[in-house]
Amino acid sequence: MRVLIFLMAIISFSAISGETISIPSYYVQLGIETGVPADILYALSAKETNTSLSDGTYSPWPYSINFDGKSYFFDDYLAYRRACHQLIDSGHVNFDIGPFQVNYRYHKDDVNTIDDLIDIYQNGLVAARIIKRYYKQTGDWITAAGLYHNPANHNGRATIYSEKFAEFLELIQNGRYRVRG
């Protein structure tokens, strides 16, 4: 049911070209539950899985995996879940899962099973805990987003990520993150 709500909130916007969008209810609810601002969560998911859809709209995509530097976007939950399990069954653990691209290798101890990270809502809860931890260390959501992506800031990756995250956040906060390009 949560997956259906997530998809409806993201994909069913009926905005016309140039019309601004509000923050989908999935992120608002997640923000209320976790104490992480909804715009931060929406920008994080958009940065992680922003996808061009067949109708010309752009959206974070819940059924996403990044493995070995390549992103995979699945049409439905079952295909997405099956791909995650195939990776695990093949002995792979270093891959990113879901709308927030939570890394299984580094965060498998934050959940009971892989299915917890596959679950769209649980994926969001884990992501919120991660970014909130970095926010408590830094006092800045943009810096926290960079550390979410690369905690050691290896080769400046966290800094670069923070800059790109800030662009998504600004678009969302200014009502310019558009569904139609």
Side-chain angles (χ1 to χ4, degrees), residues 3-14 21 23-27 42 45 49 53 57-62 99 120 177 179:
V3 171
L4 180 59
I5 292 168
F6 178 84
L7 286 176
M8 288 173 52
I10 290 181
I11 297 174
S12 68
F13 290 113
S14 59
I21 62 170
I23 296 173
S25 59
Y26 167 78
Y27 302 100
Y42 191 30
S45 184
T49 64
L53 304 176
T57 63
Y58 292 88
S59 175
W61 191 249
I120 304 307
Y177 181 71
V179 220

Side-chain angles (χ1 to χ4, degrees), residues 114-146:
I114 184 70
D115 286 311
D116 290 339
L117 278 183
I118 292 170
D119 178 82
I120 304 307
Y121 200 75
Q122 292 297 320
N123 189 275
L125 290 174
V126 172
R129 284 194 301 267
I130 296 165
I131 195 169
K132 192 173 186 178
R133 180 175 53 232
Y134 292 123
Y135 174 76
K136 287 180 179 179
Q137 290 175 9
T138 66
D140 180 77
W141 287 112
I142 294 172
T143 303

Side-chain angles (χ1 to χ4, degrees), residues 5-6 13 21 44 69 72 80 88 98 112 121 147 151 155 167:
I5 292 168
F6 178 84
F13 290 113
I21 62 170
L44 189 62
Y72 299 89
Y80 156 71
I88 295 292
N112 293 322
Y121 200 75
L147 295 173
N155 292 330
E167 292 172 11

Side-chain angles (χ1 to χ4, degrees), residues 13-24 42 58 170-181:
F13 290 113
S14 59
I16 58 171
S17 183
E19 187 175 272
T20 59
I21 62 170
S22 61
I23 296 173
Y42 191 30
Y58 292 88
E170 181 179 357
L171 289 171
I172 289 166
Q173 290 175 337
N174 292 325
R176 293 191 331 250
Y177 181 71
R178 299 170 191 216
V179 220
R180 294 195 186 270

